[in-house]
Amino acid sequence: MPHIIFCGTSEEELDRRAADWLVERMAKPRAVVGLATGSSPLGLYRELVRRHQAGEISFKDVRAFNLDEYVGLSPDHPMSYAYYMKEHLYGHVDIDPVNTYIPNGAVQDPKEEALRYDTLLSTHGPIDAQILGIGTNGHIGFNEPGTDFSTRTHVVELTEETRQSNARFFSSIDEVPTEAITVGIANILESKEILLIARGANKAEALRRAFLEPPTSDVPASALQSHPNVTVVVDDEAGKLLKAQ
Ligand code: F6R
């Protein structure tokens, strides 16, 4: 079992605990962090920005790699993950933009871009501290159910469930891209330490399947069972089926 931090009903507590975890690991010289997008880490980024503005932390010496990006969206598209990172974190802290990495979704050849990104990760990695969210279908990054645990950075076709889940960020489901570039499960497992953030009742079943049932490619997050250093930070709702153990 991973180390689980239960945060009750306090979202602030969850954000604080996630920030404490990451800040501790960012203290290492030239730390390499892996970052996620979506709603789960938003409070973490808010807390990091607050601590930076209070003069408590600096990102000057940090290199950051994102997990994934939609194919077809340029970095200045408001729904791109590059834009999200600028809006929620990079635009408010002292990280050097040359030290921020994210797949480019607007390239002619996404497969070649996936290869380029994978090489970058190998050159700069391993990642010291990887932040993850989890999809309601158990995906991590955009590694959808059925993805082999040995996959590296690749182009994926998004499942209907993932497109539906993410439609809340777009004005309609038709605008949600159908493909993404994502680091693979093998890349994620190479990280030295992993923090998975989950909030809300709709994540409870995915977490149960990920950690309380035998690993299977049907639940990509279950690959994390083979990693020696995973922490899961949850609120009451998301953690309710793990707590029963
Ligand atoms: C985002 C990512 C995804 C999300 C997952 C959960 O970079 O890799 O795996 O972490 O879809 O999304 P939210 O947090 O919006 O529920």
Side-chain angles (χ1 to χ4, degrees):
M1 277 293 274
H3 172 56
I4 306 175
I5 303 174
F6 293 99
C7 298
T9 54
S10 166
E11 292 304 310
E12 292 74 28
E13 168 78 1
L14 196 157
D15 299 336
R16 248 194 326 270
R17 298 294 290 270
D20 289 348
W21 186 94
L22 188 61
V23 165
E24 201 179 301
R25 283 145 188 93
M26 270 168 46
K28 180 192 156 190
R30 295 193 56 72
V32 184
V33 301
L35 299 177
T37 56
S39 53
S40 304
L42 277 176
L44 160 65
Y45 298 150
R46 238 185 340 261
E47 177 63 12
L48 292 175
V49 169
R50 191 196 65 72
R51 290 186 194 191
H52 172 70
Q53 288 172 350
E56 295 169 19
I57 58 169
S58 168
F59 292 77
K60 276 210 165 95
D61 198 30
V62 171
R63 283 162 298 159
F65 283 82
N66 265 77
L67 285 168
D68 42 22
E69 178 61 285
Y70 289 117
V71 167
L73 301 191
S74 67
D76 57 1
H77 188 291
M79 289 303 131
S80 73
Y81 287 165
Y83 190 96
Y84 168 111
M85 290 310 298
K86 235 185 252 158
E87 171 148 296
H88 296 293
L89 186 63
Y90 299 156
H92 311 282
V93 298
D94 60 349
I95 197 161
D96 185 337
V98 303
N99 289 333
T100 65
Y101 300 89
I102 187 161
N104 185 349
V107 289
Q108 281 252 311
D109 186 345
K111 280 195 184 139
E112 193 180 296
E113 173 62 6
L115 262 178
R116 183 192 72 87
Y117 197 71
D118 202 73
T119 306
L120 266 179
L121 271 172
S122 304
T123 311
H124 294 274
I127 284 179
D128 293 301
Q130 174 68 58
I131 301 294
L132 293 179
I134 182 169
T136 50
N137 63 4
H139 75 213
I140 45 176
F142 272 135
N143 295 284
E144 299 285 24
T147 307
D148 198 275
F149 291 172
S150 65
T151 46
R152 305 195 64 82
T153 314
H154 61 292
V155 179
V156 282
E157 200 170 313
L158 300 178
T159 61
E160 209 40 43
E161 182 170 352
T162 296
R163 291 186 68 240
Q164 290 284 358
S165 289
N166 290 3
R168 67 193 192 276
F169 301 114
F170 293 79
S171 39
S172 85
I173 176 91
D174 299 334
E175 286 180 21
V176 184
T178 55
E179 287 183 330
I181 296 170
T182 182
V183 305
I185 295 179
N187 301 96
I188 292 173
L189 293 177
E190 281 166 9
S191 314
K192 291 188 193 158
E193 296 185 71
I194 296 173
L195 180 74
L196 190 155
I197 303 173
R199 17 176 134 239
N202 65 338
K203 298 296 172 71
E205 176 61 9
L207 287 175
R208 187 192 67 76
R209 294 178 70 205
F211 294 111
L212 301 182
E213 289 193 355
T216 162
S217 63
D218 291 344
V219 184
S222 67
L224 299 175
Q225 288 184 33
S226 70
H227 193 284
N229 214 327
V230 177
T231 300
V232 179
V233 60
V234 283
D235 62 11
D236 263 356
E237 291 288 340
K240 62 187 175 193
L241 302 177
L242 300 178
K243 206 166 203 169
Q245 292 309 298

